[in-house]
Amino acid sequence: MAYTFKSESMEKSPCGSKICNIIDGFADYGNQFALTYGRIRALFGEPLYESENMEDLFSYCVSATSEDGATVYLDVYCAGTGPAIGGGQSEAAKKAACELTACIRQTDPVDYSCKCYYMDGPTVLEVGIKDGKPFYREEELVLSEKEFKELYARLYNL
């Protein structure tokens, strides 16, 4: 491994854009999603934040230090396209993101559980790992117009 990865504080979070997705393809996406977040949690612990909004579910700032001591900062997050790694667009950042993706995919997940909402559906999801087994349950969100507006305002901080 050419990089050492470490969870950092929000202040070190880079300004940048998506470098790569962590999940490759859509086969068994729900279980892959659950496993990926469990693997990220195994590597880096609790996220900087976790929300109920599937399109902004979690965020980590991760430093990637190369063997020669150079450090780049990456964002590990979940947005509308799923778990991803972002940061600057330098070759070093892209190389570190690629290596971090491989590291995440090889890590054993920890147990966790979260409930979130995907408002384009709209759906409610329960995602996690229990006793090492992934689960991803999605149900149609049935709310009154008032309840929907209240949930929407809460999820989007309106």
Side-chain angles (χ1 to χ4, degrees):
M1 182 161 46
Y3 289 91
T4 302
F5 301 103
K6 180 181 167 199
S7 182
E8 299 285 352
S9 66
M10 184 71 85
E11 292 78 39
K12 298 200 177 187
S13 188
C15 291
S17 58
K18 181 165 80 171
I19 298 171
C20 63
N21 289 318
I22 300 171
I23 297 174
D24 188 22
F26 292 101
D28 196 22
Y29 183 82
N31 284 334
Q32 289 302 312
F33 180 94
L35 286 167
T36 297
Y37 192 20
R39 291 170 174 152
I40 294 167
R41 291 175 74 92
L43 285 168
F44 303 114
E46 291 293 317
L48 294 171
Y49 72 83
E50 184 176 76
S51 78
E52 293 179 293
N53 182 348
M54 180 67 161
E55 294 182 297
D56 187 27
L57 187 60
F58 62 81
S59 182
Y60 292 82
C61 176
V62 174
S63 62
T65 304
S66 66
E67 293 169 338
D68 67 3
T71 299
V72 296
Y73 294 93
L74 303 169
D75 285 319
V76 178
Y77 63 94
C78 182
T81 59
I85 299 173
Q89 297 301 303
S90 69
E91 286 305 311
K94 291 175 184 177
K95 184 177 176 187
C98 185
E99 189 169 313
L100 178 54
T101 298
C103 181
I104 290 168
R105 290 177 180 169
Q106 295 170 7
T107 299
D108 290 330
V110 295
D111 286 0
Y112 75 97
S113 177
C114 69
K115 180 179 178 180
C116 56
Y117 300 90
Y118 180 63
M119 298 306 281
D120 288 353
T123 57
V124 59
L125 298 99
E126 297 207 26
V127 180
I129 307 282
K130 180 158 174 81
D131 299 326
K133 295 182 183 184
F135 63 89
Y136 183 95
R137 293 185 286 273
E138 184 173 357
E139 294 180 20
E140 180 181 359
L141 186 60
V142 180
L143 300 172
S144 69
E145 185 175 336
K146 180 181 183 231
E147 291 169 324
F148 183 87
K149 286 180 179 179
E150 289 171 354
L151 177 61
Y152 189 90
R154 188 174 84 227
L155 293 179
Y156 295 99
N157 299 314
L158 303 174

